[in-house]
Amino acid sequence: MRKIGIVFLLFILTVGSLVAQSETEKPKLIVGIIVDQMRQDYLYRFEDRYSEGGFKRLIKGGFMLKNGHYNYIPTYTGPGHASVYTGATPSSHGIIGNDWYAKSIDQMIYCASDTTVTNVGGSAENGLISPKNLLTTTITDELRIATQKRSKVVGIAIKDRGASLPAGHMGDAYWFDSKTGEFMTSTYYYDKLPEWVSKFNADKYVDKYLSETWNTLYPIDTYTQSIADDNEFEGIFSGKDSPTFPYDLKELRKTNGEFGLISTTPYGNTLTLDFALAALEGEKMGMGEETDFLALSFSSPDYIGHRFGPQSKEIEDTYLRLDQEIERLFNYLDKTYGKDQYLIFLTADHAVAEVATHMINENVPAGNLRTSA
């Protein structure tokens, strides 16, 4: 009897019921994946270039919910991650935006901020993070409660909110620090970094990737699911004259935030998965009697999408490369746990609209909302 399966979800407000299995044996590990800003059409637009072991394996080997919807606004990163993992909406779980104004204290609040904690590793300014503002339990919390905290829960992302909210109130969370190039946490979780985290940081993966040149995975003239590489609708990295391949990251890091540059390249996804695999090994996840939970969020597609837009060659290349990372994850899980011993789901926290100036240029009625006076 098959012990576990694959679930591909467009949106998973009912994730708790989907994870429940009728089989008598529990999965060794659950891996929840959120791809920040992933649109549904990316599955079909780029499908011909996907491998059988990546996104196609999720689609063909699991269950796909095609009629999901986001029944709240705004669909930002904070509310999206909180809604996926709580099964609730912002009116209940309290994460009503990435930031919001709190009248009672007359100031803005960041969704994952907590001034009562400090950084562990990384930089002080990026360490004021915890799930304090999340008002409900998550599926990861419920797993810890149900097992008297014997189940391990680890949340990982480049974005702090993409790690801390899915990990819930009772799990561990790690995020990338753009100031130091390290993965870090806060005193909400630990007083010092676990040894495996310190070792990962000492290996300087970020420097390795930022010495690369980001070019297209395949010949650029075969990228037919995107607009021309050189156009007026995309953002340009400081130090370049156009939004075009190739991107010499060793040079660009000098003028684009040093370590933070990796977030706006596909290597941010690679780095995130590297750290996730290190977490599985370092925490010996899936090796105990209880089910463990890895909450993994790929943040880079959002940074790339905001800079270049959903019709860009950069986005097309990002998803072709992310497909390879998904396959790498599957291969690791198969080898480590066995093909029928884990559950994996994939969804998005939100999608993205077309670039308004591009639509206007194509005579499509569109415009930008002016949010300031």
Side-chain angles (χ1 to χ4, degrees):
M1 192 174 205
R2 192 176 185 190
K3 298 176 183 177
I4 205 63
I6 302 166
V7 183
F8 185 93
L9 305 173
L10 298 182
F11 194 62
I12 52 171
L13 287 178
T14 56
V15 64
S17 62
L18 289 168
V19 167
Q21 301 293 306
S22 60
E23 291 82 354
T24 55
E25 294 189 48
K26 298 176 291 189
K28 293 179 179 179
L29 179 71
I30 299 171
V31 180
I33 302 173
I34 292 181
V35 181
D36 205 321
Q37 204 192 103
M38 184 174 183
R39 295 185 357 173
Q40 182 190 18
D41 70 297
Y42 294 160
L43 294 174
Y44 312 116
R45 280 174 56 193
F46 313 135
E47 182 178 9
D48 290 346
R49 305 292 284 273
Y50 288 152
S51 70
E52 292 298 320
F55 287 122
K56 285 184 179 179
R57 181 174 173 185
L58 282 163
I59 297 170
K60 295 178 180 179
F63 303 91
M64 183 171 177
L65 303 187
K66 297 181 179 180
N67 196 31
H69 68 282
Y70 303 89
N71 62 343
Y72 63 87
I73 54 172
T75 53
Y76 294 150
T77 299
H81 282 74
S83 296
V84 166
Y85 276 87
T86 64
T89 51
S91 61
S92 298
H93 61 60
I95 306 300
I96 59 175
N98 287 337
D99 305 90
W100 61 86
Y101 173 71
K103 184 177 180 180
S104 60
I105 57 176
D106 190 29
Q107 68 182 37
M108 296 294 294
I109 291 178
Y110 173 58
C111 63
S113 67
D114 185 350
T115 57
T116 69
V117 301
T118 57
N119 64 299
V120 175
S123 61
E125 63 190 275
N126 291 324
L128 308 177
I129 299 298
S130 86
K132 181 183 73 171
N133 298 319
L134 187 64
L135 302 181
T136 57
T137 58
T138 60
I139 186 174
T140 48
D141 284 330
E142 295 297 334
L143 177 63
R144 292 271 283 168
I145 293 170
T147 62
Q148 299 301 314
K149 298 196 290 187
R150 291 187 296 272
S151 290
K152 296 179 180 179
V153 169
V154 179
I156 293 169
I158 284 180
K159 295 182 181 180
D160 50 45
R161 56 189 180 275
S164 61
L165 298 177
H169 302 274
M170 300 175 68
D172 298 332
Y174 302 95
W175 53 93
F176 181 71
D177 180 35
S178 61
K179 300 295 182 181
T180 63
E182 299 177 348
F183 276 90
M184 63 180 296
T185 188
S186 75
T187 51
Y188 179 88
Y189 304 98
Y190 284 102
D191 292 328
K192 66 177 182 178
L193 289 176
E195 183 178 345
W196 67 266
V197 180
S198 297
K199 181 181 183 302
F200 183 91
N201 287 335
D203 287 339
K204 303 292 184 182
Y205 285 85
V206 65
D207 284 325
K208 171 190 171 183
Y209 294 130
L210 287 178
S211 67
E212 301 282 347
T213 294
W214 176 20
N215 212 336
T216 52
L217 188 62
Y218 306 107
I220 196 167
D221 59 2
T222 67
Y223 282 49
T224 60
Q225 301 302 321
S226 46
I227 61 177
D229 192 27
D230 193 2
N231 63 77
E232 60 183 302
F233 313 115
E234 301 176 13
I236 302 174
F237 282 121
S238 175
K240 276 187 69 79
D241 297 325
S242 62
T244 55
F245 287 101
Y247 294 96
D248 183 344
L249 303 183
K250 187 175 182 179
E251 286 299 315
L252 290 176
R253 69 184 294 184
K254 299 174 183 177
T255 53
N256 291 271
E258 185 62 13
F259 299 113
L261 172 64
I262 199 169
S263 301
T264 316
T265 77
Y267 296 114
N269 294 330
T270 306
L271 179 69
T272 301
L273 182 55
D274 289 341
F275 188 77
L277 299 184
L280 291 176
E281 294 181 2
E283 296 292 340
K284 295 181 172 57
M285 297 182 73
M287 300 300 178
E289 295 184 0
E290 304 290 353
T291 300
D292 295 330
F293 200 123
L294 173 66
L296 177 60
S297 180
F298 290 107
S299 307
S300 285
D302 186 65
Y303 289 105
I304 297 166
H306 280 302
R307 180 174 291 272
F308 298 105
Q311 300 298 332
S312 65
K313 293 215 180 318
E314 287 81 2
I315 276 292
E316 184 171 359
D317 192 66
T318 293
Y319 278 90
L320 296 180
R321 290 176 179 275
L322 181 57
D323 179 64
Q324 294 188 343
E325 300 297 350
I326 298 296
E327 182 174 21
R328 179 160 71 106
L329 173 61
F330 268 124
N331 290 340
Y332 177 89
L333 297 176
D334 289 345
K335 181 179 180 180
T336 305
Y337 305 103
K339 288 187 177 181
D340 297 330
Q341 300 294 323
Y342 61 87
L343 172 70
I344 186 167
F345 68 79
L346 186 148
T347 188
D349 55 345
H350 60 81
V352 65
E354 299 294 340
V355 176
T357 51
H358 178 212
M359 292 296 96
I360 293 169
N361 187 71
E362 297 295 337
N363 299 315
V364 175
N368 288 305
L369 176 66
R370 185 175 181 181
T371 58
S372 59

